[in-house]
């Protein structure tokens, strides 16, 4: 699904990753992170895809909301497991969205 974001400006957190072969509870944790993110103040939505390279983009109202999400207790645990067992490599980028546009066939 394409996230239904508000009029810019807002922020995008782009999380690109390469997985290990370890699958131990990864799917359950990913689902829990989505559930928790949706409850965070300032969360606007997300988009995610995996085809070898995984990319998840989450959208946020402010840098403060992003900072709070990064420090959320359960998210800290997921980050730790990611470094220890689920990812060979990852990169996180934070960008200000100044303009967006799109098309949707009805």
């Amino acid at each position: 699904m394409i996230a239904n974001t508000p009029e810019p400006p807002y922020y995008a957190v782009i999380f690109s990753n390469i997985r290990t072969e370890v699958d131990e509870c990864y799917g359950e944790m990913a689902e829990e992170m989505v559930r928790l993110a949706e409850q965070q103040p300032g969360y606007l939505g997300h988009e995610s895809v995996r085809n070898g390279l995984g990319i998840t983009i989450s959208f946020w109202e402010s840098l403060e909301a992003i900072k709070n999400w990064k420090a959320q207790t359960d998210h800290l645990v997921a980050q730790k497991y990611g470094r220890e067992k689920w990812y060979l490599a990852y990169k996180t980028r934070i960008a200000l969205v100044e303009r967006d546009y799109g098309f949707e066939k009805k």
Side-chain angles (χ1 to χ4, degrees):
M1 297 292 296
I2 296 175
N4 184 19
T5 49
E7 288 294 315
Y10 55 88
Y11 289 88
V13 176
I14 306 157
F15 178 64
S16 304
N17 61 80
I18 299 172
R19 289 280 319 276
T20 65
E21 297 294 320
V22 177
D23 206 40
E24 178 187 327
C25 299
Y26 180 81
E28 294 88 346
M29 182 66 85
E31 288 177 16
E32 179 66 5
M33 290 303 100
V34 168
R35 188 187 71 74
L36 287 173
E38 289 173 342
Q39 296 174 11
Q40 297 300 303
Y43 172 82
L44 301 173
H46 78 280
E47 300 166 357
S48 189
V49 65
R50 176 167 297 283
N51 187 6
L53 175 67
I55 301 174
T56 298
I57 307 168
S58 58
F59 302 101
W60 300 87
E61 289 178 353
S62 67
L63 291 173
E64 180 81 13
I66 294 167
K67 180 180 172 187
N68 291 339
W69 169 238
K70 181 169 176 45
Q72 197 276 349
T73 305
D74 294 325
H75 189 209
L76 288 171
V77 171
Q79 292 169 56
K80 178 179 183 289
Y81 290 162
R83 287 187 301 274
E84 290 177 356
K85 59 185 173 179
W86 291 324
Y87 299 121
L88 290 172
Y90 70 82
K91 184 130 185 143
T92 300
R93 299 169 176 99
I94 299 173
L96 175 63
V97 177
E98 296 179 337
R99 186 177 122 180
D100 70 15
Y101 53 91
F103 167 78
E104 183 177 346
K105 190 173 273 198
K106 303 266 180 183

